[in-house]
Amino acid sequence: MQETRAELVSRLAKAAGIKPLEPEKTKGLFTDESEIPAWAAGYAAALQQAGLLQRREDGKFEPLGQATSAETAVLQLRIIEFHQH
């Protein structure tokens, strides 16, 4: 079973020790923010603010969309590079 984009960002951010942003700092980052589960919103926002997570078209995060293996690999690489600097 593939994981969703919300599950992916939460899992990778936690594994990398990246702290989620507070709820008030997640507003307006994604056009579909109302669809992002509360448990994932802070992690998605933290990764986006750090320049590690790109929005999809129209500024969406698409939290329930399936994470592709390419997205997973790219995000993992970006997190590794982030920690090396």
Side-chain angles (χ1 to χ4, degrees), residues 2-65:
Q2 277 191 318
E3 65 186 340
T4 65
R5 288 174 47 85
E7 293 166 338
L8 171 69
V9 299
S10 298
R11 178 177 60 82
L12 291 182
K14 286 177 186 177
I18 296 171
K19 303 284 185 220
L21 293 184
E22 296 82 27
E24 62 274 3
K25 294 184 180 177
T26 66
K27 303 295 182 210
L29 295 178
F30 301 99
T31 57
D32 58 349
E33 68 186 41
S34 65
E35 298 173 27
I36 303 172
W39 52 265
Y43 291 111
L47 291 175
Q48 196 279 327
Q49 289 279 308
L52 304 174
L53 178 67
Q54 301 299 314
R55 296 179 190 111
R56 288 201 170 164
E57 64 181 65
D58 298 330
K60 292 182 178 182
F61 173 56
E62 294 185 11
L64 302 179

Side-chain angles (χ1 to χ4, degrees), residues 37-85:
W39 52 265
Y43 291 111
L47 291 175
Q48 196 279 327
Q49 289 279 308
L52 304 174
L53 178 67
Q54 301 299 314
R55 296 179 190 111
R56 288 201 170 164
E57 64 181 65
D58 298 330
K60 292 182 178 182
F61 173 56
E62 294 185 11
L64 302 179
Q66 295 299 303
T68 66
S69 55
E71 287 174 322
T72 302
V74 167
L75 187 53
Q76 287 173 327
L77 250 169
R78 288 179 180 160
I79 289 172
I80 290 168
E81 290 172 351
F82 177 78
H83 279 294
Q84 290 177 343
H85 294 108

